[in-house]
Amino acid sequence: MMITHDTRCALDAVVDLLNTAPEGEAPGAPDSLTDLASLEDFVRRNDVSGVGALGPGDLAAVRAVRARFAEVFAAEDDRTAAERLNALVASAGTTPQLTDHDGYDWHVHYFAPDASVADHLAADGGMALAFIVVAGERERLRYCEAPDCRHTFVDLSRNRSRRYCDSRTCGNRLHVAAYRARRREAAG
């Protein structure tokens, strides 16, 4: 599956945004998008371009976009995902335009000039997810299979075999636990 640089950046931002939410099955898991400082950190971390001064309304709007992205990941089928994406992208007032800023070659921004950070994320992230659905690859939108983690990720592996949000943490932790269980059983 061919993913352009700007689409990959938008997918990464969607995943990062989703993973700021409290994890549904992990008791006491904190929401890490609770104030303007955490929103500013998110914007900086994801290099979201064209964002001016942020205010409390931006925080609430980005959290609402986060909830809508979560609905796309949770969709039972392509039609439901497409309906949710269509509504999300339409609400952002998309205005596709070619741009070549910050040393990047020509690429398409789907958000209107001077769009809010929420509309920027909804438009670019929504279109990136739409490309996944159009390619018939919605099953690549996944949740980590570690029992104590519900982070999201986009499986861009060639054979669609990725199971964990991060192989160095969740994947390695589960592999070590399985190894130790086998050793205890063998010694047992």
Side-chain angles (χ1 to χ4, degrees):
M1 174 173 196
M2 174 69 173
I3 303 282
T4 62
H5 171 77
D6 51 315
T7 300
R8 177 64 187 261
C9 290
L11 290 171
D12 289 346
V14 167
V15 167
D16 189 22
L17 180 60
L18 285 169
N19 290 336
T20 65
E23 296 175 29
E25 296 177 15
D31 186 331
S32 62
L33 191 61
T34 57
D35 55 24
L36 285 178
S38 59
L39 178 58
E40 289 166 352
D41 182 54
F42 170 83
V43 167
R44 193 173 27 263
R45 190 171 60 244
N46 288 281
D47 200 21
V48 181
S49 62
V51 175
L54 298 171
D58 291 308
L59 179 62
V62 168
R63 289 172 61 118
V65 167
R66 178 179 70 183
R68 294 180 79 182
F69 282 140
E71 291 173 355
V72 173
F73 268 70
E76 298 116 25
D77 54 42
D78 289 349
R79 181 163 306 284
T80 303
E83 289 169 356
R84 291 173 180 171
L85 283 168
N86 284 339
L88 178 63
V89 171
S91 72
T94 58
T95 306
Q97 57 186 326
L98 287 168
T99 183
D100 66 341
H101 62 89
D102 299 330
Y104 294 110
D105 287 336
W106 289 105
H107 59 282
V108 178
H109 280 183
Y110 294 95
F111 54 92
D114 301 320
S116 70
V117 66
D119 285 346
H120 178 134
L121 293 168
D124 270 4
M127 290 304 299
L129 291 173
F131 295 142
I132 298 291
V133 172
V134 166
E137 302 283 351
R138 192 180 58 84
E139 71 275 359
R140 290 181 182 269
L141 307 180
R142 298 200 174 153
Y143 295 96
C144 183
E145 290 184 19
D148 59 344
C149 180
R150 290 296 295 157
H151 280 158
T152 58
F153 64 93
V154 179
D155 179 4
L156 296 177
S157 66
R158 183 171 286 174
N159 62 358
R160 298 176 190 90
S161 61
R162 187 170 161 198
R163 298 176 49 206
Y164 306 108
C165 63
D166 186 345
S167 61
R168 290 182 311 266
T169 55
C170 289
N172 192 45
R173 188 170 31 86
L174 288 173
H175 289 120
V176 168
Y179 171 77
R180 289 180 179 159
R182 287 191 304 272
R183 298 267 318 221
R184 278 192 304 273
E185 188 177 305

